[in-house]
Amino acid sequence: MFDISAVAALPSPDLLTPDNCAVLFVDHQPQMFFAASSGERGEIINSTVGLAKSAKVFDVPVVLSTVAEKQFSGAMIPQLKAVFPEQQIIDRSTMNAWEDPAFVEAVKATGRSKIVVAGLWTEVCLVLPVLSALSQGYEVYVVADASGGVSPQAHEHGMQRMVQAGAVPMTWLQVLLELQRDWLRTETYGAVIEVVKEHAGTYGLGAVYAESIIGSHTTG
């Protein structure tokens, strides 16, 4: 029941914060990209790196995982690895990352109940762990533009299946701006704007323009 006396200027507990979430990257590898045709591959890579840098700006825990690196899929793409050069990558044989004990232990070690997930392919290596995590009580946010399937239909139906199960669809830029939320948070403002300028397309170009006209402290 709605109680107007309880209305206050407070954020929803459903929102992501640097203290309540972890970000998982699943199978961003060359062989997986070769067959990913649900979107332009360069754009998926750009979104993936934008998401990675967003997590790094806010010191959000990250789990990196690959599948059959040496046997089939190749190493994690260098653009993503470069954001976390010292981070251990968990290589698996399982298509479902949630059936790999080391992966699940790494997620548990973050201590976070909200997990933000991106991966290739949407319909297999993303759907399977997302449904598994949801079934065990995690709140799961799926980053659609940092993920890709073998066809537009495969990506779309994979997203629909996850959403129907309770996952929340997002974009990488949405994650970044939800973590920032207030342009007066000066400790992360500059780094956020740099990520925007590098990866957010025309929005980033707008930030470059605004800085040239207004000065160094522009807003969204």
Side-chain angles (χ1 to χ4, degrees):
M1 181 179 296
F2 176 67
D3 179 6
I4 197 167
S5 66
V7 175
L10 296 170
S12 165
D14 292 331
L15 294 178
L16 299 174
T17 73
D19 299 320
N20 71 10
C21 69
V23 181
L24 319 182
F25 294 90
V26 180
D27 304 348
H28 291 90
Q29 300 164 263
Q31 186 69 256
M32 308 305 288
F33 270 105
F34 293 158
S37 57
S38 60
E40 203 282 311
R41 295 173 183 86
E43 292 181 1
I44 298 173
I45 292 172
N46 176 72
S47 297
T48 300
V49 178
L51 177 63
K53 291 181 179 179
S54 300
K56 188 167 187 177
V57 165
F58 291 95
D59 199 26
V60 173
V62 167
V63 177
L64 306 177
S65 186
T66 55
V67 63
E69 174 186 343
K70 293 181 172 59
Q71 297 84 2
F72 179 74
S73 302
M76 176 173 287
I77 58 171
Q79 299 95 320
L80 175 55
K81 174 62 177 171
V83 182
F84 307 105
E86 305 303 321
Q87 178 93 14
Q88 179 184 1
I89 299 173
I90 300 167
D91 192 48
R92 321 176 318 274
S93 64
T94 61
M95 286 182 280
N96 180 5
W98 212 264
E99 293 180 48
D100 183 89
F103 180 87
V104 174
E105 287 303 314
V107 177
K108 290 170 63 177
T110 69
R112 309 297 172 86
S113 61
K114 298 179 188 288
I115 52 177
V116 179
V117 192
L120 303 178
W121 302 317
T122 311
E123 67 275 20
V124 181
C125 297
L126 193 54
V127 164
L128 300 183
V130 165
L131 295 184
S132 301
L134 285 167
S135 75
Q136 295 183 20
Y138 280 91
E139 298 175 63
V140 185
Y141 302 76
V142 180
V143 186
D145 56 353
S147 305
V150 298
S151 69
Q153 293 83 0
H155 178 71
E156 178 185 353
H157 294 321
M159 290 297 302
Q160 288 176 349
R161 186 179 180 190
M162 291 183 285
V163 169
Q164 288 170 357
V168 180
M170 300 186 74
T171 66
W172 81 265
L173 185 58
Q174 186 179 357
V175 173
L176 174 66
L177 297 182
E178 193 161 317
L179 292 173
Q180 176 69 20
R181 282 218 316 277
D182 188 338
W183 293 116
L184 292 180
R185 290 178 176 162
T186 55
E187 65 274 15
T188 52
Y189 176 88
V192 165
I193 291 298
E194 288 305 309
V195 176
V196 165
K197 289 193 292 187
E198 187 171 359
H199 296 283
T202 53
Y203 175 34
L205 184 61
V208 172
Y209 174 77
E211 281 191 355
S212 70
I213 300 300
I214 301 170
S216 60
H217 194 83
T218 58
T219 64

